[in-house]
Amino acid sequence: MRKIKGGVIMLVMLWLASLGLADQAIPPNASFERGTASPENWSISGGIGTWEETGCAGNRSISVTGHGSSDDSNYWRCDECELEPQQTYRISFAARVDPDASGGTVMTGSNMVNRDYSIGTQWEKRSFVFTTPVDTASTFLRFGQWEKSGKVWFDDIELRPVIALHRQHGDMELGTGEAIQNGIYKARPDVRGEGSNSARFLLSHIASFNSYRWNMGNDSEVIYRHQTGDHQQKNASVTVEIGYYRGGKCTVEASRDGREWQSVGELSGLSHETFAVPETFFPSADVFIRLRGAQKDDKSASLQIYGYAYEAKLEDDSVPDMTGDTKYVDVLTSSDELGVEVLSLGDLRPGGDTSAHLRVTNKSLSDMSLEVTLDLDGSGQTENIGIKAGKTKDVALGYEVMESGDFALNISISDANGTTLHALRTFFNVSQLYAADYGYLINEGEECSVWWAEGTHKISRERPLPTERSDKIEISAAGNEYEPFQLVLRAERDMEDVSIDMTDLTNSKGETISEDNVEISLVGYLYVKVPSDKVGCVGYWPDPLPPYKKPFSVKAGQNQPIWVTVYVPPGTPAGN
C-alpha cells in the first residue's frame, strides 16, 4: 500500500455510474485540430475570427479580434454539444491575449451561463462550474470578447458533467454559501466562486447568468429551495439586490411546495430590499423562494440580480454552528460494469477526516480484480481488491495534506488488464487559514498539547499539531523593539479555568527582561461570511486580541493561541 501526500473531501453518498454522462464530456474538435478552411464544428458569430496555426498544447487554436468600441462583441460558437437540462458541468479552457490587447473582457462558457475573465499574454488554464436552465434547446458554447481591443486566443476546451458533493453535518446537509450561526440558518450563493450560478439550494432557473449576476427579462425566474433537515424554521427573510436596471420589476414569492406561490414583495430600480416571509409558512423545514422578472409601467423587465440572501431563525436555537461546503467532482469515465458510491471524501484540508471511502459494486456477470488508486500530483495510495459478480466491497484510501494552495485529486478504478473503468477528478483549494506546514510542537499530552508559532501566521481552530518539534521558543528583536509569538494550547477534552503565569525572562548570565515588558493577549475569532479576496475562505478567522485578564476555557479538539508580545528595553544586553 502506497501512502499519499495530499487529499480530498465531503460527506455525501452518491451513485456515480448511474449518471451515464461521462461519455458526453468533451465538445467536438475541442482543440481545433480538424477542419479545412475553418475549424470543424465551430463557427464565428461575426467580425474577425481566425483559425490559428499555433496552439497551447497542439498545432491549432482559435482567436477573435475586437475593436474596443462600445457593445463590440464577437465569438466562436459550437452548437453540436448538447447540454442536459438542470445538469451541473465544468467548462475548462486555455486562453491568452496579444500583448497590445486592452480593455473589455474575455467571454467564456455558454450563451445561458458565461463568465468574463481578465487574461494575460501567456496561455492560462481556467475553469468554472455552472448549472444549466430548465430548457437547453437553444444553448450553445461560445468563446469570444466583449469591448476588447486586440486579439484573444482560445484552445483545449473541455466540458464535463460534475457531481456536487455537499458537507454533511449529521442530518443536515449544507453547501457552499450556507451556514448555521447562533441558531440562524443563512444562505447566500457564492456567485463569484468556482460554482458561479450553482448552489445546493438552487432548484431551477429560466434565466441567463453573466459572471456573478442573474439577467432577468419578462418571465425569467430563479427558484431557490431552503431545506434545513430535521430542524424547523421559525421565521425567515429574503434579501434581494438589483445592481443593473433598465426597466420592469423583480417579484419575490414564497411557496411551501413549489407549486402554489404567495407574493412576498417586489422591487425595481437600483435597490436592495429585505422582505419577511409570511408567518403562515412556519414552522417549516422546507421553503421555496422564487424571483421573477415582470413588466412595470409598460416597460419590460431588463434588470440584473446582483445579490440574494435568505435567513431563517430555527426553532431549536441549540443547534451547533456549522459551515457548508461544496466540492465538484468531475466524472471522467464510467462503466456499466461498475457501480461506485462515494461514502466520504473527508475534509480536503489539514485536520479533520483525512480518508476517502468508496463502495464499489461489481455489476458484471464475472468476478473482477480491481486496482483502486487515489492520486495527488503523482503521489497516492493504491488498494487491490477482488469482488465477486453481483457483490459489493468498501474501500478506504487515506491521505495527508498540510500545505495551502490549489490541488487536483484523481480517483481511478482499473481492471486486471489496466483498463480504466471509472475515473473521478476534483479540484480544491486549501486556504492559508488551514495551512499546517509551520509551527513547533513543544509537548504532546493526553489532555492538552502545547506548540508555538511566529506571529506572522493565522492559526485556525481546527488545524492539526505541527510535526516539527522544539523544546524552546526562539524570537529575535533589537533594543526598543516589540516582538510577538503565539503559544498554542490544543485540548483533547474541554478545559476550564485555564490561567497563565508569567515570570521574568532570564538568560544564563542572570540578565533579565522584566515580566512587566511582556504583554499577554488571547487570540479571538470572527466568523467571515463573505471572503474579501481569493486568499480568504468562509469560517472562523483569528483577529481580535483581547488582553488576558482572567481564566479562560478551551474546547476539546480546538486550538487556542495565546499572543505574547515581548518588549526589549533600550540597553538590554544581547544574548540568548
Side-chain angles (χ1 to χ4, degrees):
M1 185 171 72
R2 301 192 297 273
K3 291 291 182 183
I4 190 163
K5 295 181 180 178
V8 26
I9 109 182
M10 279 305 111
L11 298 173
V12 174
M13 294 193 300
L14 169 75
W15 282 103
L16 297 170
S18 63
L19 294 175
L21 294 169
D23 294 336
Q24 303 174 18
I26 301 176
N29 198 21
S31 295
F32 312 106
E33 301 296 325
R34 302 192 309 272
T36 50
S38 63
E40 195 175 288
N41 308 111
W42 293 79
S43 61
I44 189 71
S45 66
I48 302 174
T50 306
W51 188 24
E52 302 287 352
E53 295 185 356
T54 183
C56 177
N59 299 316
R60 307 299 293 261
S61 63
I62 56 174
S63 72
V64 294
T65 300
H67 302 294
S69 57
S70 177
D71 292 329
D72 173 51
S73 178
N74 68 324
Y75 51 84
W76 286 93
R77 62 183 283 171
C78 176
D79 296 275
E80 301 178 34
C81 187
E82 296 183 3
L83 301 179
E84 295 292 326
Q86 296 180 268
Q87 169 64 38
T88 304
Y89 292 90
R90 180 188 301 279
I91 187 80
S92 306
F93 59 92
R96 70 177 180 89
V97 300
D98 273 2
D100 60 351
S102 62
T105 60
V106 175
M107 184 170 59
T108 69
S110 76
N111 62 316
M112 290 302 296
V113 182
N114 76 278
R115 174 158 281 182
D116 296 337
Y117 286 97
S118 176
I119 298 290
T121 58
Q122 302 297 315
W123 285 110
E124 299 178 21
K125 296 290 184 71
R126 298 292 185 94
S127 76
F128 68 95
V129 171
F130 65 95
T131 298
T132 55
V134 171
D135 182 3
T136 57
S138 60
T139 302
F140 56 86
L141 299 184
R142 65 177 184 182
F143 289 82
Q145 62 79 28
W146 181 78
E147 295 189 356
K148 195 159 194 71
S149 175
K151 183 181 285 190
V152 183
W153 305 59
F154 299 98
D155 202 0
D156 301 331
I157 294 169
E158 183 179 283
L159 183 71
R160 299 279 185 185
V162 301
I163 307 303
L165 302 179
H166 310 296
R167 178 169 289 161
Q168 199 80 19
H169 299 265
D171 68 317
M172 178 77 79
E173 183 182 70
L174 297 176
T176 294
E178 293 180 287
I180 292 179
Q181 284 182 271
N182 301 319
I184 299 175
Y185 164 78
K186 301 180 180 183
R188 182 190 300 269
D190 183 20
V191 291
R192 295 179 183 270
E194 177 188 23
S196 66
N197 71 333
S198 302
R200 184 191 77 94
F201 48 94
L202 175 65
L203 181 63
S204 66
H205 67 92
I206 307 172
S208 63
F209 184 87
N210 181 5
S211 297
Y212 56 87
R213 54 200 184 269
W214 292 105
N215 301 314
M216 307 294 283
N218 285 352
D219 300 323
S220 295
E221 71 173 32
V222 179
I223 300 178
Y224 291 112
R225 184 179 185 181
H226 299 285
Q227 299 169 291
T228 50
D230 292 338
H231 305 289
Q232 295 288 313
Q233 300 172 33
K234 187 176 181 180
N235 54 59
S237 64
V238 180
T239 301
V240 180
E241 177 187 1
I242 297 177
Y244 172 86
Y245 181 81
R246 296 185 64 182
K249 63 182 178 181
C250 174
T251 64
V252 183
E253 301 165 311
S255 174
R256 297 181 184 86
D257 56 12
R259 295 186 296 272
E260 299 292 330
W261 296 91
Q262 180 176 336
S263 177
V264 172
E266 63 180 49
L267 63 163
S268 59
L270 298 177
S271 54
H272 183 282
E273 301 284 349
T274 297
F275 307 98
V277 178
E279 295 180 0
T280 54
F281 279 79
F282 305 101
S284 176
D286 193 359
V287 177
F288 298 77
I289 300 294
R290 180 168 69 178
L291 310 180
R292 285 197 307 120
Q295 185 172 303
K296 180 182 180 182
D297 298 332
D298 298 325
K299 290 187 177 181
S300 295
S302 178
L303 56 93
Q304 295 180 348
I305 303 298
Y306 276 40
Y308 170 86
Y310 179 90
E311 288 195 7
K313 176 68 175 176
L314 302 179
E315 286 195 332
D316 181 4
D317 57 11
S318 66
V319 177
D321 288 357
M322 54 188 78
T323 301
D325 192 24
T326 301
K327 288 295 178 289
Y328 297 100
V329 180
D330 300 10
V331 183
L332 306 180
T333 306
S334 62
S335 170
D336 293 337
E337 296 182 350
L338 211 59
V340 179
E341 187 179 1
V342 180
L343 302 177
S344 167
L345 294 179
D347 287 324
L348 279 186
R349 61 174 173 78
D353 183 12
T354 55
S355 60
H357 295 267
L358 309 178
R359 180 162 292 159
V360 183
T361 300
N362 180 357
K363 302 169 70 174
S364 74
L365 301 177
S366 304
D367 296 350
M368 302 179 75
S369 295
L370 301 172
E371 183 177 84
V372 186
T373 299
L374 186 153
D375 179 88
L376 179 69
D377 297 334
S379 299
Q381 178 180 336
T382 296
E383 288 284 352
N384 295 300
I385 61 172
I387 309 180
K388 293 186 178 297
K391 298 298 183 181
T392 295
K393 182 166 289 189
D394 290 352
V395 183
L397 301 167
Y399 62 83
E400 181 183 59
V401 58
M402 299 295 285
E403 302 174 355
S404 62
D406 295 318
F407 299 88
L409 184 136
N410 293 271
I411 296 177
S412 64
I413 303 176
S414 304
D415 63 16
N417 298 318
T419 302
T420 300
L421 301 179
H422 204 92
L424 307 171
R425 177 184 63 194
T426 188
F427 300 96
F428 66 97
N429 172 269
V430 176
S431 168
Q432 290 182 3
L433 174 66
Y434 294 111
D437 56 345
Y438 65 88
Y440 312 90
L441 181 61
I442 298 174
N443 180 67
E444 185 173 6
E446 293 184 0
E447 296 187 354
C448 180
S449 297
V450 181
W451 60 282
W452 77 276
E454 295 84 357
T456 54
H457 297 289
K458 295 281 191 179
I459 299 173
S460 76
R461 285 174 166 175
E462 297 87 359
R463 67 147 283 178
L465 294 172
T467 56
E468 186 174 347
R469 290 179 175 269
S470 175
D471 59 359
K472 57 186 176 181
I473 297 171
E474 297 184 53
I475 59 173
S476 299
N480 205 34
E481 281 189 345
Y482 295 84
E483 185 65 24
F485 66 89
Q486 298 179 80
L487 183 67
V488 187
L489 306 180
R490 184 176 180 86
E492 299 304 319
R493 59 173 179 80
D494 288 349
M495 297 172 60
E496 304 291 339
D497 297 323
V498 180
S499 59
I500 304 170
D501 291 324
M502 188 68 207
T503 63
D504 294 344
L505 302 179
T506 305
N507 67 11
S508 58
K509 298 178 181 179
E511 298 163 334
T512 65
I513 295 177
S514 169
E515 64 177 282
D516 295 335
N517 292 315
V518 180
E519 183 179 290
I520 299 176
S521 302
L522 297 179
V523 175
Y525 287 82
L526 296 176
Y527 187 81
V528 174
K529 295 188 292 184
V530 180
S532 58
D533 53 38
K534 292 183 178 180
V535 176
C537 66
V538 174
Y540 285 95
W541 281 77
D543 188 69
L545 292 173
Y548 166 70
K549 295 181 177 179
K550 61 182 180 179
F552 57 94
S553 61
V554 182
K555 289 186 177 181
Q558 292 188 358
N559 294 306
Q560 175 55 65
I562 300 165
W563 189 274
V564 182
T565 304
V566 179
Y567 172 63
V568 181
T572 300
N576 296 320

